[in-house]
Amino acid sequence: MLDESLLKEARILIVDDEKASVRLLERLLRACGWTNLRSTYDPRTVCTLIRTFRPDLVLLDLHMPHAGGLEVLAQTRALLAAEGVPILIVTADDGPGVRETVLEAGASDFMAKPVDAAALPLRVRALLEARLRRLQERGPGPFLEESAASRAEGVVALDVEALERLALVAEYRDDLSRGEHVKRVGQASALLARALGLGEAEVEMVRLAAPLHDLGKIAIPESILLKPGRLTPEELTVMQSHTSLGAAMLAGSRHPVLQMAQRIALSHHERWDGGGFPQGLRGEAIPLEARIVAVADAFDAMSADRPYRLALSSEEVWEILVDGAGKQWDLQVVDALASLVGPQVQVDRPFDLSAFLQREQAMLDPRR
């Protein structure tokens, strides 16, 4: 007898460039009890998501910009074949021979759009049941070991103090406040996550994961990290590598908080217009948690003294944020920040984020 809780705890990745299709699939799956979902509109992010999210099932559109459907299917199957993860193609292309072509290319099943609301959960369940049976025959594995109860207890059981101390390791090297910056970024990111409508569990995960955004700075030479003047192009390349280095340090964890921290470390310097680093992701292809941390990090960094400059005035900070909204930063995240702190900005001096966060602490701490 298959454990129903294990089936419903399966990780499902949705890849579709149409937002309406993604929302529909998410709604249908959530209505049937599947809540461990991850979605992307950009097929170029699939490989990274597979490595970090480790899905038990992939729902994949066939025709998307930037990459051909069969190409994405081949990449996805190559990454998932060893784990036997099923791939369900969900596409509007139901022309002659399409089903046969994708099945021969390695897809596990095929559904035509518009999606049949009654049929989709049945197909998903059948594919996950088959995967679970194979895993049971093979022996204990991640899908079998992580029951609903153990996952729910994961954030509570995680050694929060160890996470905080790990975040301080990198920050002690270039933060004049000796770690206060990462604490503020974690708290401010949690407030932004709540303002954007994330659930309380996700808000808490953001609070714990965000302080690790600059972990990769551990590996950056102090001659570059603490240089008071402008960096040379070569030095800038080394400095920018802290994103990839931090993600590599956090890679491979099965804990959701550290998986989120990896995504944040890698992508918090991506830009909404695609001009960031290290991957040049654009818009919603950038993980939401990384977009949140990018704004919180920039706001705090500009409002505080740094090794290379003094704090900017509130007026200067807001001019930079407003000018960069929709270009460097997600406009919705900047708007969320404005809704939280805008009325308290004072033109003639830096914004006191520490005092603001102290007043908001009761909202940030779920135990209060």
Side-chain angles (χ1 to χ4, degrees):
M1 188 67 146
L2 293 175
D3 188 331
E4 184 69 16
S5 66
L6 289 179
L7 282 174
K8 292 303 168 66
E9 278 297 305
R11 294 180 287 266
I12 301 176
L13 173 62
I14 302 170
V15 185
D16 195 318
D17 64 303
E18 295 181 358
K19 295 182 180 180
S21 295
V22 170
R23 287 195 292 268
L24 174 62
L25 292 172
E26 289 177 338
R27 187 165 64 249
L28 292 174
L29 292 171
R30 291 184 190 279
C32 294
W34 285 290
T35 59
N36 203 354
L37 310 177
R38 181 82 60 187
S39 303
T40 180
Y41 307 125
D42 190 341
R44 294 172 296 184
T45 67
V46 170
C47 293
T48 299
L49 282 172
I50 286 174
R51 294 189 183 99
T52 56
F53 183 55
R54 299 171 64 216
D56 298 299
L57 171 66
V58 177
L59 275 57
L60 179 64
D61 187 19
L62 195 56
H63 298 299
M64 294 175 284
H66 309 302
L70 292 178
E71 177 188 348
V72 178
L73 174 58
Q75 293 174 347
T76 304
R77 185 171 181 273
L79 290 170
L80 298 175
E83 298 295 323
V85 174
I87 302 170
L88 171 59
I89 298 295
V90 183
T91 178
D93 184 359
D94 60 348
V98 174
R99 178 190 297 268
E100 292 75 13
T101 298
V102 297
L103 293 177
E104 289 175 3
S108 307
D109 202 351
F110 177 97
M111 285 194 75
K113 295 179 181 177
V115 172
D116 187 322
L120 176 72
L122 298 177
R123 299 280 190 91
V124 168
R125 184 181 184 87
L127 291 170
L128 289 173
E129 284 182 344
R131 170 162 167 73
L132 181 54
R133 288 194 180 93
R134 287 194 298 270
L135 290 174
Q136 287 177 329
E137 292 170 0
R138 186 189 305 175
F143 192 10
L144 300 179
E145 292 171 352
E146 296 179 16
S147 66
S150 66
R151 287 188 183 180
E153 294 168 358
V155 173
V156 177
L158 185 69
D159 190 338
V160 175
E161 181 182 356
L163 274 183
E164 292 173 345
R165 291 180 182 274
L166 181 61
L168 292 178
V169 171
E171 204 63 23
Y172 256 66
R173 301 183 65 211
D174 76 331
D175 180 9
L176 299 178
S177 65
R178 288 295 182 259
E180 291 303 314
H181 169 67
V182 293
K183 294 177 185 176
R184 292 194 300 267
V185 169
Q187 292 177 322
S189 296
L191 274 178
L192 287 171
R194 180 179 285 114
L196 289 164
L198 275 66
E200 288 305 309
E202 290 177 288
V203 169
E204 177 66 0
M205 286 176 61
V206 168
R207 186 182 71 83
L208 294 172
L212 295 169
H213 64 283
D214 276 341
L215 183 62
K217 286 185 177 179
I218 293 171
I220 304 301
E222 288 191 356
S223 60
I224 295 176
L225 195 63
L226 301 179
K227 183 176 179 178
R230 184 182 296 273
L231 299 179
T232 67
E234 294 77 17
E235 291 170 336
L236 182 61
T237 298
V238 174
M239 176 66 86
Q240 290 178 344
S241 71
H242 80 274
T243 54
S244 300
L245 291 168
M249 293 173 189
L250 293 163
S253 174
R254 288 171 51 194
H255 198 287
V257 171
L258 292 178
Q259 290 173 355
M260 178 182 284
Q262 181 190 12
R263 296 191 295 273
I264 291 171
L266 182 65
S267 301
H268 71 284
H269 281 294
E270 299 288 359
R271 289 174 55 107
W272 184 259
D273 60 11
F277 61 90
Q279 296 176 297
L281 300 181
R282 180 189 297 270
E284 292 186 355
I286 306 168
L288 175 58
E289 53 266 29
R291 284 180 266 147
I292 289 171
V293 172
V295 172
D297 183 33
F299 181 64
D300 185 72
M302 289 188 288
S303 301
D305 291 340
R306 305 299 287 174
Y308 46 87
R309 57 144 179 82
L310 296 176
L312 303 180
S313 71
S314 294
E315 184 178 29
E316 291 172 312
V317 170
W318 277 108
E319 285 179 355
I320 293 171
L321 286 171
V322 170
D323 182 64
K327 292 180 284 188
Q328 180 169 352
W329 299 289
D330 184 343
L331 175 60
Q332 288 187 324
V333 181
V334 175
D335 283 345
L337 181 63
S339 71
L340 292 171
V341 305
Q344 303 179 51
V345 168
Q346 299 193 30
V347 173
D348 58 345
R349 59 177 182 268
F351 183 79
D352 190 344
L353 187 56
S354 294
F356 171 77
L357 291 173
Q358 281 185 338
R359 293 193 295 270
E360 298 291 331
Q361 188 61 42
M363 292 176 59
L364 287 167
D365 190 342
R367 293 167 296 182
R368 296 189 180 188

